[in-house]
Amino acid sequence: MMREFPAPPRAAEFGDLISKKVEEVKASGGTRETVTVDWNGQQAHVEVIDLPLSSLFYNPSTHRIRAQRSHDSERDAALEKDPWSVESQDYLQFLLKASPADPNLRDKEFDTLKESLDQFGQNDPGLVTRHGVLVNGNTRAAALRELGAQSMRVGVLPASFTWADINAVELSLQLRKDHRRDYSYINRLIAMEEQAALGRTPEQIAKDFRIQVRTYHQERWILSTIRELIERSRAGGGNGLRLVDWEGAQERLKELQRLYVKLETVDRDQAEVLKELRLAAILLNFSKTDVRHINEDFLKDGLEQRLIAGGASPAQPQSVSIPGLGLEVPAASSAVAEARAMNDEILRAAAVVSSETPAIGDQGKAAAQDVLDSAKAAFDGAIEAAGRNTRLRKRKQLAPARLAEACASIDQCVNDLVQARTSRSLDEEAFDDAVVKLRDSLLKLAKQAGRGLPQPGDGVSWLLEAVSAEGSQ
């Protein structure tokens, strides 16, 4: 969450330099460059000056790479301890250049920004505090440094700004409708969470982020679920999954939330089982189309047994006591417990595989990878079977669906016929031809519908009788 960082080294000395430069700009006369920031519901215009890049610090609390900081737990812990050290600033610079979904890869958008700066120069100024901490323009500073630039144009925020003000200004700039790079999905969720922690209402946050209130609640559910999974992946207090591991799963997580909310009020156990199965499939990197096969029909067909059969099924209590209240509520069903236990095993294995901790060793990682490979194969088979069943259901339902569409068209035809007769605009010859085609189609339908049905239902019986009467005329 949001925290107050100490002032960087030589903060007072650098503050004096900034104040001197600001005064020089004001005294120089002529047109002065300013930048507008939104602060406490008002607009403030701050002076723009040139500052040496070597003296500027990356913002350790920037939302741009908040989730990506979890990429390396040891370097992140060092950054929390001393955000201004060379090692911590190097880590921030590394993340600013890295792909949000996979920090091990360089971000193509960063290279695009760098090329633009090299060709056209710096168009928009950044923002700094009086201590030289970049509030806006962290990524541009990293690109300019890589290009060998010596200075950067920045607007200088008032000396009274707190870290809460800094975060608020950064967020307001990010949410402007311009060509600014969007936050990655998880960083956007974290920003919403921080705004809620400041006491802002869902309506206010949704308005700032230009989303509906129900979307805000969906996003909060998703982040809460991700944090819960991260905690569950920490086996015995060891390394767990990272926030960055869930970048790229936005649409799959949103579809999961919609399915869960729909089923929760009808059958909570079913909703919980499908939630665990879908989360496991997302973690195993199945596509959105594949994950969709894990639905109510997946459970009706008993395909979940392919995934949890043979696994450890811990004994479950009949009820759970609520501490301090002396009350007991029913415990989770065995199906939920089994799905959760299966997912926990996958979560812990994924955490081990993604960990950079040397103590785990190659043997430990290999064992964890075997668990993931086995789970992937089981899910692959179950999802393939679900796909076949879905296609079979569609074939079974295709003929009735076509006939239902034809009935709707005939109902509409009745209304059109009444209107045409009222306005005396009916083409009777064309209408008669169409009715003849309908008769021919019904004859064909009756011929096929009567095959293989020793005891036809009321509808088919009527159709056969009507065709029989037609043939006797």
Side-chain angles (χ1 to χ4, degrees):
M1 300 302 292
M2 190 183 302
R3 58 163 288 195
E4 293 278 340
F5 289 97
R10 297 183 298 158
E13 177 185 342
F14 195 70
D16 292 339
L17 171 64
I18 289 179
S19 298
K20 181 179 178 180
K21 281 183 170 287
V22 169
E23 290 303 320
E24 287 176 352
V25 168
K26 290 181 178 180
S28 64
T31 303
R32 304 200 309 266
E33 183 182 8
T34 61
V35 62
T36 303
V37 297
D38 296 320
W39 181 38
N40 290 337
Q42 298 180 342
Q43 288 190 332
H45 305 283
V46 300
E47 301 288 345
V48 174
I49 60 175
D50 275 323
L51 286 177
L53 271 168
S54 59
S55 300
L56 299 178
F57 290 94
Y58 296 119
N59 180 6
S61 71
T62 177
H63 295 94
R64 172 73 59 198
I65 51 173
R66 188 70 61 83
Q68 285 65 36
R69 281 180 47 180
S70 63
H71 170 67
D72 188 323
S73 59
E74 292 185 2
R75 296 176 78 178
D76 187 37
L79 191 151
E80 279 290 320
K81 185 177 181 181
D82 183 3
W84 316 117
S85 69
V86 174
E87 293 77 14
S88 294
Q89 289 290 301
D90 284 346
Y91 184 46
L92 290 173
Q93 179 166 275
F94 162 74
L95 294 176
L96 288 166
K97 299 177 183 180
S99 166
D102 185 359
N104 288 315
L105 302 176
R106 188 175 171 94
D107 189 6
K108 293 181 180 179
E109 290 191 23
F110 176 82
D111 287 329
T112 301
L113 171 64
K114 179 183 171 183
E115 290 174 7
S116 176
L117 289 169
D118 188 29
Q119 185 175 0
F120 303 108
Q122 182 187 354
N123 293 325
D124 300 315
L127 277 178
V128 294
T129 68
R130 292 276 172 163
H131 294 157
V133 179
L134 285 159
V135 177
N136 182 46
N138 285 271
T139 312
R140 277 173 284 168
L144 287 169
R145 282 173 170 166
E146 199 166 274
L147 289 169
Q150 299 301 307
S151 64
M152 180 178 180
R153 288 174 27 253
V154 291
V156 181
L157 295 173
S160 61
F161 261 47
T162 64
W163 278 101
D165 296 326
I166 290 170
N167 283 318
V169 167
E170 184 205 10
L171 185 60
S172 69
L173 288 170
Q174 178 61 37
L175 296 178
R176 283 182 179 177
K177 289 184 177 180
D178 56 17
H179 298 292
R180 198 177 306 274
R181 289 174 62 203
D182 289 335
Y183 287 153
S184 70
Y185 179 59
I186 303 299
N187 286 324
R188 187 176 173 87
L189 301 188
I190 294 173
M192 291 184 197
E193 181 184 55
E194 289 185 352
Q195 292 298 300
L198 293 173
R200 306 193 67 208
T201 66
E203 291 75 17
Q204 291 173 325
I205 299 172
K207 182 179 179 181
D208 284 349
F209 280 81
R210 299 184 178 89
I211 58 176
Q212 297 182 348
V213 174
R214 69 170 180 267
T215 303
Y216 164 78
H217 288 299
Q218 179 187 57
E219 306 288 41
R220 293 301 309 277
W221 184 92
I222 288 173
L223 183 58
S224 174
T225 299
I226 289 174
R227 292 197 183 281
E228 177 197 345
L229 294 174
I230 290 174
E231 287 303 313
R232 286 166 54 185
S233 69
R234 301 182 192 278
N239 291 324
L241 290 170
R242 308 158 301 178
L243 286 169
V244 70
D245 292 325
W246 300 93
E247 293 280 17
Q250 175 178 350
E251 293 303 321
R252 288 171 289 172
L253 290 169
K254 286 188 173 185
E255 289 190 0
L256 164 62
Q257 189 271 347
R258 288 193 289 268
L259 176 66
Y260 182 85
V261 170
K262 183 183 77 171
L263 296 179
E264 184 185 23
T265 56
V266 179
D267 188 338
R268 185 177 178 83
D269 283 353
Q270 184 185 60
E272 288 292 336
V273 170
L274 286 175
K275 173 186 171 183
E276 294 293 337
L277 297 181
R278 280 206 174 194
L279 286 170
I282 292 171
L283 190 59
L284 292 169
N285 204 30
F286 280 93
S287 68
K288 181 168 64 175
T289 304
D290 287 339
V291 174
R292 284 175 180 163
H293 286 305
I294 303 176
N295 53 23
E296 303 97 305
D297 290 331
F298 190 91
L299 299 185
K300 289 178 183 177
D301 295 337
L303 294 175
E304 79 281 4
Q305 296 302 319
R306 296 191 181 192
L307 308 177
I308 60 180
S313 181
Q316 294 297 310
Q318 296 297 315
S319 61
V320 177
S321 176
I322 302 178
L325 297 180
L327 299 176
E328 291 191 350
V329 296
S333 69
S334 60
V336 175
E338 289 173 353
R340 187 180 178 90
M342 175 212 66
N343 201 11
D344 283 345
E345 185 178 11
I346 294 174
L347 288 167
R348 290 191 290 266
V352 170
V353 170
S354 64
S355 174
E356 302 292 335
T357 305
I360 295 177
D362 293 340
Q363 188 174 356
K365 285 200 170 189
Q369 187 61 55
D370 287 343
V371 171
L372 294 182
D373 291 343
S374 177
K376 179 94 173 180
F379 268 85
D380 212 4
I383 288 173
E384 184 179 353
R388 289 196 302 270
N389 292 346
T390 299
R391 291 190 293 273
L392 179 60
R393 287 190 184 94
K394 286 183 178 179
R395 285 198 296 270
K396 288 181 176 179
Q397 297 168 0
L398 190 57
R402 297 280 193 193
L403 198 53
E405 291 176 4
C407 291
S409 296
I410 291 175
D411 290 340
Q412 182 61 46
C413 175
V414 173
N415 294 330
D416 295 340
L417 180 61
V418 171
Q419 292 177 8
R421 281 181 171 169
T422 301
S423 61
R424 297 181 179 179
S425 60
L426 177 65
D427 186 338
E428 295 184 0
E429 185 176 349
F431 181 74
D432 188 70
D433 290 341
V435 172
V436 171
K437 289 182 180 180
L438 174 62
R439 180 195 62 188
D440 293 341
S441 296
L442 288 175
L443 290 172
K444 293 177 185 178
L445 178 63
K447 183 177 181 180
Q448 296 300 325
R451 290 182 176 179
L453 290 177
Q455 295 180 334
D458 292 343
V460 175
S461 295
W462 170 86
L463 178 62
L464 295 176
E465 290 174 4
V467 169
S468 178
E470 171 69 18
S472 63
Q473 293 179 2

